[in-house]
Each structure stands twice: as structure tokens, then as C-alpha cells.
Amino acid sequence: RFEDIIAMCALYRPGPMDSIPDYIKRKHDPTLIDYAVPELKPFLEETYGIIVYQEQVQRVVQEFAGFSLGAGYLLIKAVAKKIPALLREQRKKFIDGALAKGQKKEAADKIFALIEPFAGYGFNKSHSTGYALIAYQTAYLKAHYPTEFMAALLSSDADVTDRVMIEIDGTVKNVIVA
């Protein structure tokens, strides 16, 4: 599915990258899907219970802890800056907001722990969709027009010898395996 390509483009970012094995397992075995709390299901169902996109973080903090969408974006930025004092401040706001909405502190701690990996950099879905479209088109051209694809690829990198060698090496390995 094209949606899987979109998710993979987002998962291959430093923030959610550690979730790739769980994403794959849950995709193939829905019994493994787990939501930290049931309220997360509407926002994480499409990604098998895993936070993949920045928009999911924003929706989770909005619904679970009462943040505005703008405050959710600020939380993402604060987490991304990795400034300990700012992160502690945002964590406190998140926990306080969750408690004010009647959530349990343990659940709030668990959800914030799911959000923190985005400090390594997470993607929003629209960016990931653009990259996925290019990946899909590139794969199509490589599969259906391999000679033309390689000619264009090698021509575009002609003055970067190291790059050309990698591309030729990859092509030779693919031919030998096939």
C-alpha cells in the first residue's frame, strides 16, 4: 500500500527509527498492536499503535493532555531542541494537562516516553508523502525501464566518482542475486 511507503519514509528518521521492527511485526500480526491507553487508538490506528508522524504527536497531546495544536507544536520543538530545562517544563505541562483531563499519571508518563524519541527528529505526514511519491516513481522507473534509469542515474552523478562506483556496485550485486 502507498500508505506503507509513506510510513516507512517517516519511520526512517532518527526520532521513530527504533520503532521500525515493532511497526513491521504489528503490520503482519495485528494481535501485537498495543495502544498505551485506549484514547490513542483514533490517532495511531493507521500506524499500528506507533507514533510515526508529528501530527500524531500533536493530536495525542491535544486530546490526552488538553494542549492546543499550537502548544503541541511547541512541545515537539522543545523536545527536538533537547534542552533539559525546556524538556522538563514541557513534560510538566503535559503531565499537569493530562491529570486535569482525568488521566492517570502512569499513563501520562508512558505516553510522554513515547513522544520523547521525536527529539531525534520526526517527520510530518505531508513531507513523508512527498518523499514516498518520489520513492514509488523511482522504483517504478527502475523496475520497468532499468537501462534508461541507470543511464540517467549515472549521468546525474557522472562527476562524483564515489557515487558512480556505489551505483554500479549495487547494480552488479542485484544482477548476480537475480
Side-chain angles (χ1 to χ4, degrees), residues 29-122:
D29 185 358
T31 64
L32 299 174
I33 296 173
D34 176 43
Y35 303 99
V37 295
E39 293 91 345
L40 298 184
K41 185 176 180 179
F43 317 118
L44 303 181
E45 189 168 25
E46 74 170 310
T47 54
Y48 312 108
I50 293 170
I51 296 175
V52 175
Y53 308 112
Q54 285 182 355
E55 294 91 341
Q56 289 174 310
V57 173
Q58 288 180 278
R59 290 300 308 273
V60 166
V61 300
Q62 179 186 26
E63 296 297 324
F64 189 80
F67 280 45
S68 67
L69 286 176
Y73 183 73
L74 291 176
L75 181 138
I76 290 170
K77 288 298 191 188
V79 170
K81 289 183 181 180
K82 302 177 189 175
I83 301 170
L86 189 55
L87 189 55
R88 282 192 301 276
E89 176 186 315
Q90 289 298 313
R91 181 184 186 90
K92 181 177 178 356
K93 286 181 182 179
F94 179 80
I95 301 293
D96 290 348
L99 294 174
K101 287 197 71 158
Q103 305 293 348
K104 296 187 182 320
K105 183 171 183 327
E106 299 78 30
D109 286 333
K110 188 173 184 179
I111 292 170
F112 198 84
L114 295 173
I115 293 169
E116 280 184 292
F118 274 78
Y121 182 67

Side-chain angles (χ1 to χ4, degrees), residues 124-169:
N124 65 48
K125 192 172 183 180
S126 63
H127 285 143
S128 191
T129 301
Y131 280 97
L133 180 60
I134 293 167
Y136 178 83
Q137 291 169 333
T138 302
Y140 177 87
L141 292 171
K142 186 175 180 180
H144 295 283
Y145 301 96
T147 304
E148 294 85 349
F149 177 84
M150 279 305 294
L153 182 64
L154 294 172
S155 294
S156 71
D157 290 338
D159 54 340
V160 186
T161 309
D162 292 341
R163 196 68 217 144
V164 170
M165 294 307 298
I166 291 168
E167 292 157 356
I168 291 171
D169 186 47

